[in-house]
Amino acid sequence: EKSTTASLSAGENDVGGEGQVHGSAAAAAAGPDEPRVVNKLVALLEDLDATRRREDDALKRLEERVEQLVDTTATSASDLRQVQALTVQYSQEIVGILEIQLSKFVTERWVNVDFGTVMSCIGKSSETVSNDITILLKEIAKIQQALTASASASASASASA
């Protein structure tokens, strides 16, 4: 393509074919506007090539950013799973410790409280936190799938271009 643009800009019109004049004689025979047209074509071809390079660079940057987002999302999901596991573990430990402390308090002092209700509320709160984290992990998984699909689509688009 560059050799074509170089020959066009030099004024060589070696197009070929029957009955056509070759070289600088063709430029003289074609008229005074032809060099301007050739120069415009050369400029357009150069602009087209520069635009293609910019598009390729932008696509590569986009693919890299999508990969970074996928990696970050995967790391975040892993961290959230760890937090969920620790939350469940700590909740179970706290319930056990609280039950021991309440039993000790009740045996030492007379209290008019229904501890079944208290324990039920604590259990419900723990279950709600666990459910919320599970929902959050499912949403992160959906985001990961969307990002992975987007990365695959942009990779196939760049491969076909």
Side-chain angles (χ1 to χ4, degrees), residues 1-12 42:
E1 188 173 294
K2 295 226 184 249
S3 63
T4 304
T5 57
S7 66
L8 285 174
S9 63
E12 299 173 3
V42 168

Side-chain angles (χ1 to χ4, degrees), residues 42-89:
V42 168
L44 287 173
L45 288 172
E46 290 172 352
D47 286 345
L48 179 63
D49 189 45
T51 301
R52 284 184 184 158
R53 283 193 305 268
R54 284 193 306 270
E55 286 176 351
D56 289 343
D57 291 344
L59 187 59
K60 286 177 186 175
R61 286 192 308 272
L62 178 63
E63 289 172 353
E64 290 170 0
R65 183 64 182 139
V66 168
E67 287 176 16
Q68 289 173 349
L69 288 172
V70 168
D71 291 343
T72 301
T73 304
T75 302
S76 298
S78 175
D79 292 347
L80 280 173
R81 284 187 191 97
Q82 290 176 350
V83 168
Q84 181 187 26
L86 289 173
T87 301
V88 169
Q89 177 186 348

Side-chain angles (χ1 to χ4, degrees), residues 73 135-149:
T73 304
I135 291 169
L136 184 59
L137 287 171
K138 287 179 183 177
E139 290 299 317
I140 288 174
K142 289 178 186 177
I143 292 169
Q144 280 181 310
Q145 288 175 346
L147 286 173
T148 302

